[in-house]
Amino acid sequence: PEPETFYKEYCTSNKGVGKPVVFRGAASHMAAMNWTTDDYLLKKFANERISGVEYNLKETRAGGNVENVATMKQFLQAYNNSDIY
């Protein structure tokens, strides 16, 4: 829709709260879409250090920090072989 129509129908409708909208394909041209596989991440960043990986945050938000995960490779192994998400 035209910008003004979009603003009225999606941004300020529902008593000013607005309503959800989905922009399908809006990010498909962005470079970030090229790293959607574990193989790509491992090839480019396997030894990059990471920190602050948390677990059990699905519903309860009662998790904590994942131990022994210091690199992207270790994170992907833990993510794919355990229930840290």
Side-chain angles (χ1 to χ4, degrees):
E2 292 295 318
E4 185 175 344
T5 303
F6 177 82
Y7 184 75
K8 287 179 182 176
E9 290 184 15
Y10 293 95
C11 299
T12 59
S13 64
N14 193 20
K15 299 179 184 175
V17 176
K19 66 181 183 179
V21 62
V22 175
F23 295 100
R24 297 194 190 283
S28 61
H29 69 284
M30 295 181 177
M33 297 305 289
N34 294 326
W35 54 267
T36 57
T37 67
D38 291 354
D39 289 337
Y40 178 83
L41 292 172
L42 285 171
K43 185 185 293 186
K44 298 289 272 184
F45 307 109
N47 296 317
E48 291 294 321
R49 298 199 52 79
I50 59 174
S51 63
V53 177
E54 298 176 330
Y55 67 90
N56 195 23
L57 302 177
K58 288 183 260 195
E59 300 293 332
T60 63
R61 305 293 296 171
N65 288 330
V66 177
E67 294 182 20
N68 302 317
V69 173
T71 65
M72 179 63 77
K73 181 178 180 179
Q74 291 169 331
F75 167 75
L76 289 172
Q77 287 171 336
Y79 181 83
N80 287 315
N81 296 310
S82 66
D83 190 25
I84 64 170
Y85 178 77

